[in-house]
């Protein structure tokens, strides 16, 4: 017995458990089958499901389910990323609530808390993905800090160091004072903030620092707290205002240290006062300028953003408190000229939201110029395809301007850098302290050395230095480069991810693929858009504009969410989220359910034959189904996943439910013939298999109820429908049929005639045979009493479909006088419309100056109006 309403929660839990119990998602290398592999973009171990995950993982699941049904060895590898900064921030916050400061713990003690947090919360998002229907091989779940993957990262570091590709050096980096670590350029978020632009005086001084005159240079800065680290004032050599000052000195206010005035064309004369304070330790551009002029570097900030002894004043104060205090000190000393309100973009740490400090720091770097070339070339020549291809320009820009990768982070949670230091500063790269000791003894003949004489680098590797190996390391391809799994599953097929990590994850995976497997890690990169609210804002918890995905699933069901989000989600384009999309998905599920209940509720009589109309309907829908399967396959090859769903939606909602079932349904309390019924169930079977990748739960429930299935059978492993021959002429005939029926129904509505009243129909056509064949369906769908074929005009209201003309005699059903009035009004309206068109066309200037297609459209309007008026006059004449 099919329940009256579809209950997604109950059905979804039932079938997901069934799939897991029967291991339908498990995959093993099978030389007799073509592999199809997807590795999940590993969500942060700190993460919970958000709307972006919903979209991304739905697309992945659609691809993997379809491949599984196509007989491929489908393998979707799940897992999580340890997320150094994000996880460490969560653990630090947890410890703070317990009254514990990270700085009071040893490294090992802190790591115990990290593992405690990871074991408790780390798997939440993977559990949530099951609610969405994700058909991952859960037995393959990987974690970037698990032993094999940890070792793989360390092995790659050592290998690249031995190749001369990794080095240690001082560079200007992005420093997060809250997390006390460097962050990559990609992890810096620019935000517009209100600041004060401070104008202050630097008085001219002589060689011994004494004031020369009252003359001074005026500097404008948003960072007055860094003036104590200034090492020069720079002007443009062509600036007539300052040429006479080049080579002279000024004194830094408050600390009275003399610094030179230098010249460089880098300074824009029109910007600000035309004078630039040079602070190499605290500005990336100043750092470059300072190196060019061989200037010293004074770093006055501690790791936590407080001022150190080099500041001389306000030592120990936080940078932002110091900023406020120094403005007051400048005012009191007479060096403050004025302050102005100023808006500018300031970099913030993506993870801690702290304002980033440019900082010179000794870090580990990976040389990128040579190692990145194969990844650049093979995307540009489409060996690896970006979908949509518009992102190739972004990729090109990044890769042509690639800089050495700062791979070290000043954190404790992560893959610890395998660098060991001797007391004299010698660096030894090794997998363990014991191995480092052995190297020191044998390579440097330091036999008296002990492990106590060796110190390991305290830093860990950038999170992306582990996730760039993900498509290889999940199959242990670094530790065992020739193992069966990596040889079978690698390269993977498709990657589904977000454009914002195109460079620092996607590009780097491609780099690692060519470096360690000699081949790309995936063939296609499908880049999703961002899920946005009605105001166009990115959905986020901080804005409070994002619904909880789990609440949505509980309310609407996973199938509704999956299909709803895809209805308007083109690759690379942002998705304007609206609850109405989810409701559309729910309504679609209900439509399918009600159609199935309708069919299963029919009484079947095996003794009666199939009516001619039903035979024709079955023949038509067979072609329509095959046409749509071909269309869907074409959309999949072009990664038009949303278009593929819309094709299936139209096929089921319009063609199957609205047309086919209407054509074959039996009369009230009458049985249906067995032949038509079996054909309809066969259609349901294929429709559910076509729908399954998009809406896995309802398709499984219906598929299981079409006929009695074998134990341990599932639509998951049923064959995806294959397209057969399409009878195009039949599809064309049915298009005319539907337009004809629609026109008669519209006529009934316009004239307020009951659908129960049979109407006479006359047809004037050169293809009489078409309508003879369609006659049973015309009579049934349009409720006409008789069809007459004529060669001349016939009595009644007329309309056209393509080149054929149809006449419906409504004389017995109409108020003739009222109809005459309606026709006369429409004729007068059309005449007025035609007059306005003719006025345009009689204007020579319009005809000569307007674009050809505009003029042609007006002429087409003229022709249409004249044709319509002729039809109206004929109708009036017939009524008269």
């Amino acid at each position: 017995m099919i329940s009256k309403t579809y209950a997604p929660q109950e059905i979804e839990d039932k079938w997901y458990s069934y799939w897991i119990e029967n291991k339908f998602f498990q995959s093993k290398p099978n030389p007799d089958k073509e592999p199809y592999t997807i590795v999940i973009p590993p969500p942060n171990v700190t993460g919970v499901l958000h709307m972006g995950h919903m979209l991304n993982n739905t697309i992945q699941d659609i691809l993997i389910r379809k491949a599984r049904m196509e007989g491929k060895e489908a393998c979707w590898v799940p897992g999580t990323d340890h997320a150094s900064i994000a996880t460490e921030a969560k653990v630090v916050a947890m410890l703070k609530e317990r009254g514990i400061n990270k700085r009071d713990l040893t490294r090992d003690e802190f790591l115990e808390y990290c593992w405690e947090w990871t074991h408790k919360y780390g798997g939440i998002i993977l559990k949530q993905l099951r609610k969405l229907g994700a058909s991952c091989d859960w037995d393959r779940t990987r974690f970037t800090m698990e032993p094999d993957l940890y070792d793989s990262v360390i092995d790659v570091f050592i290998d690249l160091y031995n190749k001369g590709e990794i080095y240690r050096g001082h560079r200007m980096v992005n420093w997060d004072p809250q997390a006390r670590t460097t962050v990559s350029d990609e992890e810096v978020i620019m935000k517009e903030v209100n600041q004060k632009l401070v104008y202050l005086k630097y008085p001219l001084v002589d060689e011994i620092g004494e004031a020369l005159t009252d003359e001074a240079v005026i500097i404008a800065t948003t960072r007055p707290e860094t003036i104590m680290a200034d090492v020069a004032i720079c002007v443009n050599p062509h600036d007539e205002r300052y040429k006479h000052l080049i080579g002279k000195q000024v004194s830094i206010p408050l600390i009275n240290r003399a610094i030179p005035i230098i010249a460089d064309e880098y300074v824009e004369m029109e910007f600000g006062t035309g004078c630039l304070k040079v602070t190499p330790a605290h500005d990336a551009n100043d750092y470059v300028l300072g190196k060019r002029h061989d200037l010293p570097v004074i770093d006055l900030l501690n790791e936590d953003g407080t001022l150190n002894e080099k500041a001389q004043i306000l030592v120990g104060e936080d940078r932002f408190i110091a900023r406020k205090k120094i403005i007051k000190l400048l005012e009191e000393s007479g060096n403050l000229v004025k302050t102005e309100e100023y808006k500018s973009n300031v970099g913030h740490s993506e993870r801690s939201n702290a304002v980033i400090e440019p900082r010179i720091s000794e870090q580990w770097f990976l040389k990128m110029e040579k190692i990145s070339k194969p990844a650049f070339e093979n995307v540009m020549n489409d060996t690896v395809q970006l979908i949509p291809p518009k992102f190739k320009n972004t990729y090109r820009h990044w890769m042509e301007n690639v800089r050495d990768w700062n791979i070290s982070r000043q954190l404790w949670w992560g893959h610890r850098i395998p660098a060991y230091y001797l007391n004299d500063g010698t660096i030894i790269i090794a997998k363990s302290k014991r191995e480092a000791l052995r190297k020191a003894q044998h390579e440097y003949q330091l036999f008296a050395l002990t492990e106590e004489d060796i110190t390991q680098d305290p830093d860990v590797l950038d999170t992306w230095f582990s996730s760039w190996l993900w498509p290889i390391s999940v199959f242990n391809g670094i530790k065992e480069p020739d193992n069966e799994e990596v040889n079978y599953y690698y390269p993977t097929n498709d990657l589904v991810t977000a454009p914002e990590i195109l460079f620092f994850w996607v590009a780097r995976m491609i780099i690692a693929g060519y470096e360690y497997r000699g081949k790309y890690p995936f063939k296609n990169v499908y880049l999703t858009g961002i899920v946005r609210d009605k105001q166009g804002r990115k959905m986020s918890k901080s804005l409070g504009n994002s619904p909880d995905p789990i609440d949505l699933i509980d309310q609407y069901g996973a199938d509704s969410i999956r299909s709803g989000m895809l209805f308007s989600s083109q690759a690379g384009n942002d998705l304007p989220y609206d609850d109405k999309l989810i409701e559309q998905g729910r309504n679609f599920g209900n439509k399918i359910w009600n159609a199935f209940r309708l069919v299963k509720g029919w009484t079947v009589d095996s003794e009666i034959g199939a009516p001619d109309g039903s035979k024709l309907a079955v023949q038509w829908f067979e072609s329509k189904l095959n046409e749509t399967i071909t269309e869907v396959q074409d959309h999949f090859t072009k990664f038009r996943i949303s278009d593929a769903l819309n094709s299936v939606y139209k096929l089921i909602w319009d063609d199957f439910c609205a047309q086919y079932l209407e054509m074959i349904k039996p009369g009230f309390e009458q049985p249906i013939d067995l032949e038509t019924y079996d054909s309809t169930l066969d259609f349901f079977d294929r429709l559910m298999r076509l729908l399954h990748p998009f809406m896995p739960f309802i398709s499984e429930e219906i598929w299981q109820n079409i006929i009695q299935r074998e134990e341990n059978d599932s639509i998951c492993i049923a064959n995806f429908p294959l397209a057969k021959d399409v009878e195009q002429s039949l599809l064309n005939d049915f298009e005319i049929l539907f337009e004809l029926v629609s026109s008669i129904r519209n006529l009934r509505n316009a004239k307020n005639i009951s659908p129960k009243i049979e109407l006479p129909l006359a047809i004037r056509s050169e293809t009489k045979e078409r309508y003879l064949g369609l006659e049973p369906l015309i009579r049934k769908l349009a409720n006409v009493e008789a069809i007459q074929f004529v060669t001349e005009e016939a009595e009644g209201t007329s309309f056209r479909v393509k080149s054929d003309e149809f006449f419906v005699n409504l004389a017995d059903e109409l108020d003739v006088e009222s109809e005459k009035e309606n026709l006369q009004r429409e004729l007068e309206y059309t005449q007025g419309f035609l007059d306005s068109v003719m006025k345009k066309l009689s204007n020579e200037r319009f005809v000569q100056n307007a674009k050809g297609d505009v003029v042609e459209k007006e002429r087409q309007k003229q022709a249409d109006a004249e044709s319509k008026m002729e039809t109206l006059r004929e109708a009036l004449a017939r009524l008269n």
Side-chain angles (χ1 to χ4, degrees):
M1 182 69 180
I2 308 299
S3 63
K4 187 175 180 181
T5 56
Y6 179 65
Q9 289 78 13
E10 174 189 328
I11 285 169
E12 289 172 3
D13 290 344
K14 173 182 73 175
W15 288 121
Y16 202 86
S17 298
Y18 177 78
W19 295 333
I20 294 295
E21 287 165 13
N22 287 280
K23 305 184 185 301
F24 292 129
F25 305 156
Q26 279 192 356
S27 176
K28 293 179 181 176
N30 184 344
D32 297 328
K33 293 170 76 173
E34 175 190 347
Y36 178 83
T37 317
I38 290 179
V39 292
I40 202 169
N44 287 354
V45 73
T46 61
V48 294
L49 203 62
H50 59 60
M51 300 303 283
H53 291 135
M54 297 274 277
L55 176 62
N56 183 299
N57 286 283
T58 292
I59 293 168
Q60 290 178 79
D61 194 47
I62 288 167
L63 295 173
I64 208 81
R65 284 182 182 273
K66 180 172 180 286
R68 190 180 291 118
M69 295 176 76
E70 289 173 329
K72 297 172 184 174
E73 188 58 44
C75 178
W76 185 9
V77 181
T80 48
D81 189 289
H82 65 285
S84 292
I85 298 177
T87 304
E88 192 149 318
K90 292 273 188 184
V91 174
V92 167
M94 176 188 77
L95 291 173
K96 191 175 182 181
E97 288 178 3
R98 299 181 188 180
I100 303 171
N101 189 317
K102 174 191 171 184
R103 306 294 162 186
D104 296 333
L105 300 174
T106 65
R107 186 187 194 108
D108 287 342
E109 287 170 342
F110 180 76
L111 290 178
E112 280 184 27
Y113 285 113
C114 289
W115 281 110
E116 174 194 322
W117 195 96
T118 299
H119 292 317
K120 187 172 182 179
Y121 300 107
I124 289 176
I125 191 167
L126 297 184
K127 291 186 178 76
Q128 291 177 325
L129 284 175
R130 296 171 185 242
K131 293 275 287 179
L132 187 64
S135 60
C136 301
D137 183 347
W138 297 108
D139 291 340
R140 291 182 172 276
T141 303
R142 307 305 298 262
F143 177 47
T144 50
M145 284 281 282
E146 67 179 81
D148 283 348
L149 272 67
Y150 192 106
D151 288 347
S152 296
V153 173
I154 302 306
D155 288 345
V156 164
F157 181 97
I158 294 170
D159 176 65
L160 290 171
Y161 180 86
N162 290 337
K163 290 175 179 174
E165 299 299 321
I166 285 178
Y167 65 93
R168 194 165 183 246
H170 285 85
R171 295 284 186 281
M172 177 70 76
V173 296
N174 302 306
W175 185 261
D176 179 337
Q178 185 171 319
R180 300 194 194 185
T181 180
T182 63
V183 293
S184 68
D185 290 346
E186 294 79 21
E187 291 165 311
V188 176
I189 308 299
M190 302 305 292
K191 297 181 183 179
E192 188 176 72
V193 297
N194 293 316
Q195 300 190 91
K196 287 192 183 298
L197 188 60
V198 180
Y199 290 80
L200 61 151
K201 293 188 294 187
Y202 287 66
L204 260 70
V205 294
D206 59 21
E207 292 179 359
I208 60 171
E210 296 292 331
L212 289 173
T213 63
D214 290 338
E215 191 174 3
V217 294
I218 308 298
I219 303 295
T221 179
T222 57
R223 303 202 61 194
E225 75 279 8
T226 65
I227 63 172
M228 295 82 77
D230 291 349
V231 294
I233 299 296
C234 191
V235 298
N236 191 296
H238 307 297
D239 195 330
E240 295 295 338
R241 295 172 296 175
Y242 303 118
K243 272 186 175 181
H244 68 290
L245 296 178
I246 297 170
K248 294 185 177 180
Q249 294 189 119
V250 294
S251 175
I252 299 174
L254 304 179
I255 63 169
N256 301 321
R257 176 163 54 80
I259 55 175
I261 298 175
I262 63 173
D264 195 292
E265 290 185 349
Y266 168 75
V267 179
E268 297 178 24
M269 291 184 282
E270 298 78 18
F271 185 77
T273 64
C275 293
L276 176 75
K277 75 185 205 67
V278 185
T279 320
H282 301 290
D283 184 276
N285 294 319
D286 289 8
Y287 179 68
V288 175
L289 190 61
K291 288 190 76 173
R292 190 154 60 235
H293 292 269
D294 199 24
L295 297 172
V297 176
I298 301 171
D299 184 352
L300 55 69
L301 287 177
N302 294 314
E303 288 184 356
D304 62 355
T306 56
L307 273 61
N308 61 31
E309 289 76 9
K310 291 178 183 176
Q312 299 182 44
I313 57 173
L314 302 174
V315 174
E317 293 282 9
D318 177 79
R319 54 188 168 152
F320 295 119
I321 294 172
R323 181 177 298 177
K324 291 178 181 177
K325 288 186 175 181
I326 209 163
I327 293 174
K328 190 174 181 182
L329 291 173
L330 287 167
E331 185 178 15
E332 290 170 353
S333 67
N335 292 103
L336 181 68
V337 179
K338 63 176 179 177
T339 62
E340 292 177 350
E341 295 301 317
Y342 182 70
K343 282 188 176 181
S344 63
N345 286 318
V346 175
H348 290 69
S349 171
E350 182 182 31
R351 296 301 174 193
S352 70
N353 201 37
V355 173
I356 290 295
E357 282 290 342
R359 189 166 192 246
I360 297 166
S361 178
E362 189 172 34
Q363 302 287 336
W364 289 92
F365 294 88
L366 171 61
K367 297 175 185 176
M368 292 293 280
E369 186 177 0
K370 184 177 79 172
I371 199 173
S372 66
K373 279 183 179 176
F376 175 56
E377 292 165 357
N378 284 282
V379 169
M380 290 302 105
N381 67 20
D382 289 330
T383 300
V384 177
Q385 293 199 54
L386 303 185
I387 301 152
K390 68 179 182 181
F391 286 107
K392 282 176 69 173
N393 290 331
T394 306
Y395 189 87
R396 177 196 294 276
H397 174 74
W398 277 333
M399 297 297 276
E400 285 181 340
N401 297 280
V402 70
R403 295 191 295 175
D404 288 358
W405 177 9
N406 170 206
I407 56 174
S408 48
R409 297 290 182 269
Q410 289 64 57
L411 300 165
W412 284 351
W413 174 246
H415 304 83
R416 193 168 178 181
I417 290 174
Y420 296 85
Y421 303 101
L422 306 186
N423 292 332
D424 63 0
T426 300
I427 300 174
I428 297 174
I429 303 300
K431 289 197 75 167
S432 65
K433 183 177 278 193
R434 180 170 296 178
E435 184 182 320
L437 176 62
R438 194 162 53 247
K439 277 190 174 185
Q441 291 173 337
H442 289 84
E443 293 178 18
Y444 298 98
Q445 309 298 305
L446 300 171
F447 297 109
L449 212 64
T450 67
E451 287 191 13
E452 284 70 34
D453 300 314
I454 298 175
T455 306
Q456 186 175 357
D457 195 305
D459 291 355
V460 299
L461 287 159
D462 178 14
T463 294
W464 301 104
F465 196 84
S466 55
S467 55
W468 79 320
L469 305 175
W470 187 249
I472 307 172
S473 60
V474 293
F475 300 114
N476 291 333
I478 298 295
K479 291 187 71 179
E480 302 172 40
D482 200 32
N483 79 75
E484 179 190 20
E485 294 237 325
V486 77
N487 286 338
Y488 181 74
Y489 290 116
Y490 188 96
T492 68
N493 295 74
D494 304 318
L495 178 76
V496 182
T497 190
E500 57 260 35
I501 54 175
L502 179 57
F503 177 67
F504 61 107
W505 188 46
V506 178
R508 288 171 179 168
M509 280 191 289
I510 302 173
I511 292 169
Y514 281 102
E515 181 70 16
Y516 287 100
R517 299 297 299 175
K519 201 165 188 180
Y520 50 80
F522 26 72
K523 182 65 180 157
N524 304 294
V525 181
Y526 181 105
L527 297 156
T528 63
I530 296 169
V531 183
R532 298 190 180 276
D533 66 12
K534 291 177 183 177
Q535 299 175 42
R537 301 174 301 173
K538 182 178 179 180
M539 283 192 158
S540 69
K541 283 187 177 179
S542 59
L543 287 175
N545 64 342
S546 180
D548 185 309
I550 299 302
D551 288 347
L552 283 177
I553 291 173
D554 289 342
Q555 183 179 355
Y556 293 100
D559 283 338
S560 302
I561 311 300
R562 290 167 65 110
S563 56
M565 292 195 73
L566 272 176
F567 279 133
S568 64
S569 176
Q570 305 295 329
N573 292 333
D574 292 349
L575 167 65
Y577 174 81
D578 192 320
D579 284 341
K580 289 178 181 175
L581 291 170
I582 309 302
E583 289 167 7
Q584 184 183 354
R586 179 185 60 189
N587 294 343
F588 185 36
N590 288 338
K591 183 79 170 180
I592 297 166
W593 187 254
N594 290 334
F596 186 61
R597 282 186 63 244
L598 172 71
V599 172
K600 291 294 277 188
W602 288 336
T603 302
V604 183
D605 189 339
S606 59
E607 300 298 321
I608 60 174
D612 290 341
S614 294
K615 289 179 181 177
L616 198 58
V618 168
Q619 193 180 347
W620 164 75
F621 191 75
E622 180 68 38
S623 276
K624 194 67 188 175
L625 174 57
N626 290 322
E627 180 187 54
T628 304
I629 292 170
T630 301
E631 192 177 281
V632 167
Q633 289 286 24
D634 181 61
H635 287 321
F636 269 107
T637 60
K638 295 166 183 170
F639 286 87
R640 296 199 297 245
I641 312 299
S642 179
D643 290 342
L645 172 60
N646 281 309
S647 292
V648 176
Y649 177 86
K650 183 181 179 301
L651 176 71
I652 294 175
W653 190 291
D654 296 339
D655 300 316
F656 185 72
C657 295
Q659 302 289 13
Y660 173 77
L661 292 181
E662 186 72 16
M663 288 187 275
I664 60 108
K665 74 177 181 183
F668 181 65
E669 293 189 345
Q670 291 180 4
I672 189 171
D673 66 279
L674 182 61
E675 181 184 345
T676 305
Y677 183 76
D678 284 346
S679 295
T680 304
L681 290 185
D682 176 62
F683 288 146
F684 247 117
D685 179 280
R686 282 187 277 168
L687 287 172
M688 291 305 98
R689 286 188 279 130
L690 190 62
L691 178 71
H692 178 70
F694 306 99
M695 300 176 75
F697 295 107
I698 192 170
S699 56
E700 180 78 89
E701 177 71 12
I702 289 176
W703 189 82
Q704 293 282 355
N705 280 284
I706 292 171
I707 59 170
Q708 185 66 40
R709 303 290 177 184
E710 295 289 328
E711 194 175 341
N712 301 332
D713 200 0
S714 170
I715 197 171
C716 285
I717 52 173
N719 292 329
F720 195 75
L722 297 175
K724 301 172 187 174
D725 292 339
V726 173
E727 198 174 338
Q728 192 60 51
S729 61
L730 186 64
L731 295 180
N732 296 339
D733 287 350
F734 268 70
E735 278 187 29
I736 292 171
L737 167 68
F738 298 142
E739 194 172 341
L740 165 59
V741 171
S742 177
S743 297
I744 294 175
R745 288 175 176 173
N746 290 339
L747 189 61
R748 286 180 187 273
N749 291 336
K751 309 304 181 188
N752 202 23
I753 297 171
S754 168
K756 295 179 181 179
I757 295 173
E758 291 184 339
L759 297 174
L761 175 66
I763 303 174
R764 183 164 68 171
S765 171
E766 294 180 2
T767 53
K768 178 180 177 181
E769 296 75 16
R770 167 187 289 156
Y771 298 102
L772 287 172
L774 294 172
E775 183 172 356
L777 292 173
I778 297 172
R779 292 169 68 95
K780 181 174 185 177
L781 298 177
N783 194 19
V784 296
E785 62 184 9
I787 297 177
Q788 179 186 0
F789 293 92
V790 297
T791 56
E792 301 293 334
E793 289 183 6
E795 291 186 358
T797 302
S798 69
F799 57 86
R800 286 182 176 273
V801 176
K802 305 292 189 227
S803 60
D804 298 335
E805 193 168 7
F806 302 86
F807 305 89
V808 182
N809 192 342
L810 303 173
D812 295 336
E813 310 299 335
L814 288 178
D815 178 339
V816 175
E817 291 306 316
S818 175
E819 184 63 15
K820 282 182 184 179
E821 289 176 12
N822 292 337
L823 288 171
Q824 187 61 45
R825 274 198 300 270
E826 194 170 356
L827 184 62
E828 290 169 1
Y829 173 82
T830 308
Q831 180 66 59
F833 175 76
L834 178 60
D835 290 344
S836 68
V837 172
M838 295 309 297
K839 190 175 179 180
K840 275 188 182 179
L841 290 174
S842 63
N843 184 334
E844 289 185 14
R845 289 183 63 187
F846 170 75
V847 175
Q848 289 174 2
N849 296 329
K851 290 182 179 180
D853 60 334
V854 174
V855 176
E856 186 55 40
K857 280 180 184 177
E858 293 302 314
R859 288 187 175 134
Q860 186 60 50
K861 288 178 186 178
Q862 175 193 353
D864 291 344
E866 289 172 346
S867 175
K868 184 176 181 181
M869 289 176 68
E870 183 182 350
T871 303
L872 290 168
R873 290 192 188 101
E874 289 172 356
L876 267 171
R878 282 193 292 273
L879 286 176
N880 288 327

